[in-house]
Amino acid sequence: MLLLGLTGSIATGKSTVSSILSSPPYSLPIIDADILARRVVEPGTPGYKAILLHFQSTTPDILLPFPDDPSYDRSKGAPLNRPALGRRVFGDSEERKKDRGVLNGIVHPAVRREMYKALLGAYLRGYWAVVLDVPLLFESGLDILCGTVMVVAVKDPAIQMKRLMERDPHLSAEDAENRVKSQGDVREKALRCEERGKGKGVVVWNDGDKAALKAELERLMRDVSRSSPRWWAWLLLLCPPLAGLAGIWNYWRNWVINRRWREGELKAKAKL
């Protein structure tokens, strides 16, 4: 089974690509890290309790009022105020970075556990490929598990900001800029993706409309299919020891690619 890592940055169109890949003719299962991240901090979960323990004393508006829904279980606690929590962790100051690290330390381990469960389920159901939709794929190190990485990017940063402001009109220009910066430069992610080689690292440039995006995605998925054909997925399903060896090989290959990328970054910084 091919693990297709999907990433990008905020407002580049990653969610649109994920939606297309989940629909015919692809019909791939999607493991969405954002959905899992919301699930693991729902009221009553260990993640929810850990967030309140750390942030509630200094973020008085971290909780929303209880919903009017009579079926809502108030014993688990009120819903999190995500915009308030976002303002607390997004930004370039040392305090914001520290808070973001604390939040990631709460959420990421819980998300990984749910992710591995979903991957196992997709493998046992015999899917040719599964999409791992993670905004911070490289930053979290999950790219090392992926047979192919797909980055959805835009060449013009102004397009990214415009889309974000249109999608989330409640954000100020400063809030929008902080959210974009928090996910790294998507053009750098695109370069890193291309370093993986043809069929193993593909970049979907999304500066145009949805029709252009679909055409570009169709072209790129042909390359992905050629590099990881369906017969190979069935062979791995029928022969688990071979699947284990293939996984080890893939992990080692990605480790070498990542080491080469880091060495290149160090050399570039040394020249400055």
Side-chain angles (χ1 to χ4, degrees), residues 1 123 232-251:
M1 182 182 74
Y123 169 73
W232 177 245
W234 279 107
L235 182 60
L236 295 182
L237 176 64
L238 296 173
C239 185
L242 181 60
L245 290 173
I248 292 170
W249 161 252
N250 182 68
Y251 188 95

Side-chain angles (χ1 to χ4, degrees), residues 8 15-16 24 39 52 67 74 85 89 93 128 149 176 204 226 230 247 253:
S15 296
T16 302
R39 187 182 302 166
L52 293 188
R74 295 193 172 207
L85 185 59
V89 301
S93 70
W128 159 66
V149 169
V204 184
R226 281 193 289 266
R230 293 174 187 270
R253 180 179 62 86

Side-chain angles (χ1 to χ4, degrees), residues 4-107:
L4 174 59
L6 176 64
T7 190
S9 185
I10 193 167
T12 60
K14 178 180 62 66
S15 296
T16 302
V17 170
S18 179
S19 177
I20 294 171
L21 291 176
S22 69
S23 305
Y26 310 107
S27 300
L28 298 178
I30 309 293
I31 301 174
D32 190 323
D34 282 343
I35 291 176
L36 293 181
R38 288 193 289 271
R39 187 182 302 166
V40 300
V41 296
E42 287 178 350
T45 62
Y48 172 87
K49 294 173 183 177
I51 287 173
L52 293 188
L53 182 65
H54 182 81
F55 292 103
Q56 190 170 23
S57 61
T58 53
T59 313
D61 59 344
I62 197 170
L63 293 177
L64 295 170
F66 282 106
D68 291 331
D69 185 355
S71 64
Y72 185 88
D73 187 354
R74 295 193 172 207
S75 66
K76 294 181 178 180
L80 286 174
N81 184 347
R82 296 181 183 278
L85 185 59
R87 288 191 294 272
R88 177 68 186 270
V89 301
F90 290 121
D92 290 330
S93 70
E94 288 304 315
E95 183 182 5
R96 293 291 181 268
K97 289 179 181 178
K98 183 179 178 181
D99 287 337
R100 191 157 64 243
V102 170
L103 182 62
N104 289 342
I106 294 169
V107 175

Side-chain angles (χ1 to χ4, degrees), residues 166-242:
E166 290 175 349
R167 190 190 75 184
D168 298 330
H170 65 278
L171 293 177
S172 67
E174 183 182 2
D175 287 340
E177 186 175 1
N178 285 336
R179 293 196 177 212
V180 169
K181 287 180 177 179
S182 72
Q183 294 192 8
D185 188 342
V186 73
R187 286 150 292 278
E188 183 176 338
K189 292 183 182 183
L191 288 173
R192 183 170 181 176
C193 180
E194 290 172 337
E195 282 289 312
R196 295 172 62 94
K198 187 176 178 62
K200 301 299 182 183
V202 293
V203 179
V204 184
W205 292 109
N206 184 28
D207 291 81
D209 59 16
K210 191 171 182 178
L213 174 62
K214 283 185 174 181
E216 176 72 354
L217 188 58
E218 182 179 355
R219 181 183 68 81
L220 293 170
M221 285 301 291
R222 284 197 294 267
D223 291 338
V224 172
S225 297
R226 281 193 289 266
S227 68
S228 184
R230 293 174 187 270
W231 63 264
W232 177 245
W234 279 107
L235 182 60
L236 295 182
L237 176 64
L238 296 173
C239 185
L242 181 60

